[in-house]
Amino acid sequence: MGKGFYISKTLGVVGIVVGAGAVATIIALAVVYAEEKSKNEPIDGGPVTTVKPPPATPTPSNDPWYKYRLPDALVPDTYDVTLWPRLHKDEHGMYIFTGNSRVVFTCVKETDLILIHSNKLNLTIFDDHLATLLSVDGSAPPSIKSTWLQEETQFLVVQLNGKLSAGNSYELYTEFQGELADDLGGFYRSEYYEDGAKK
Ligand SMILES: *[C@@H]1O[C@H](CO)[C@@H](O)[C@H](O)[C@H]1NC(C)=O
């Protein structure tokens, strides 16, 4: 045996495997590093900046029916609401109520828009619209252009073809059907038992 440094065969094999693994790891890291570096490489030699797209902010709509506060052009005077709850299921197995609402309001600022709260009601359609409008003094009010339910803000939106005049009073009429749910929300149904009898 010549001079030198001897190690056992097993240790030698383990050493080679560990060494090869280390080399492979270094190469892999170097490749990843090179890739990352080239990604951030400035094209024109300027400072390194990572270009991020601006965060997508949804443009909030300015339309009044997206705002939770009611506009101040109309002031309600009286509400006349009739509700008729049905305490037996209808033919679709649903408890419902029907009703109508007559709201008299005074216009304090000229406007061609009426917003009124309405949630989870199926409104009756009159002449293609979900409401009817009268002038309290008997004159002809502006005709209705379009009506819809804005669910997020729980509004019935009534757009008019002309403007309501400041100082005049109007009456908005709606008819509706709703579910008499037992969810303790809105107009709901509640049952209890007394002496074994359902009330
Ligand atoms: C309201 O209308 C919808 C869609 O037609 C219907 O599914 C729902 O049962 C109706 N609700 C009531 C209380 O009539």
Side-chain angles (χ1 to χ4, degrees):
M1 282 260 194
K3 286 189 177 171
F5 176 60
Y6 298 96
I7 53 170
S8 78
K9 220 184 199 174
T10 319
L11 193 58
V13 169
V14 168
I16 288 166
V17 169
V18 169
V23 168
T25 305
I26 289 165
I27 291 171
L29 285 175
V31 167
V32 169
Y33 174 72
E35 275 175 3
E36 286 301 314
K37 203 176 164 219
S38 69
K39 262 192 221 161
N40 287 338
E41 206 89 286
I43 295 158
D44 58 359
V48 179
T49 51
T50 359
V51 181
K52 269 191 213 156
T57 38
T59 36
S61 169
N62 239 358
D63 288 322
W65 46 88
Y66 288 116
K67 302 196 168 148
Y68 288 89
R69 273 178 191 277
L70 285 165
D72 58 3
L74 306 173
V75 176
D77 300 316
T78 59
Y79 292 90
D80 181 358
V81 179
T82 303
L83 295 174
W84 180 14
R86 312 300 154 79
L87 299 178
H88 296 282
K89 284 183 188 150
D90 70 1
E91 66 273 26
H92 308 294
M94 209 172 27
Y95 289 95
I96 61 145
F97 62 91
T98 55
N100 59 64
S101 140
R102 229 174 260 285
V103 181
V104 175
F105 57 91
T106 299
C107 175
V108 293
K109 271 185 212 168
E110 218 182 45
T111 181
D112 56 4
L113 178 72
I114 303 170
L115 295 182
I116 180 167
H117 282 109
S118 177
N119 190 26
K120 295 198 212 162
L121 294 179
N122 287 354
L123 292 159
T124 304
I125 295 170
F126 301 99
D127 278 337
D128 284 342
H129 301 304
L130 301 173
T132 63
L133 182 69
L134 290 175
S135 284
V136 169
D137 68 6
S139 65
S143 57
I144 297 178
K145 186 169 154 195
S146 65
T147 56
W148 71 90
L149 290 164
Q150 193 68 46
E151 284 184 19
E152 311 89 311
T153 42
Q154 304 181 354
F155 282 136
L156 162 62
V157 183
V158 180
Q159 277 185 321
L160 305 171
N161 285 312
K163 299 217 162 181
L164 301 176
S165 328
N168 278 13
S169 294
Y170 302 88
E171 182 187 292
L172 188 78
Y173 178 75
T174 53
E175 266 180 27
F176 44 81
Q177 175 165 321
E179 190 184 356
L180 202 54
D182 51 6
D183 58 0
L184 307 189
F187 191 35
Y188 66 86
R189 185 167 50 82
S190 172
E191 291 168 350
Y192 65 97
Y193 289 86
E194 192 176 273
D195 302 329
K198 191 155 94 175
K199 304 275 175 161

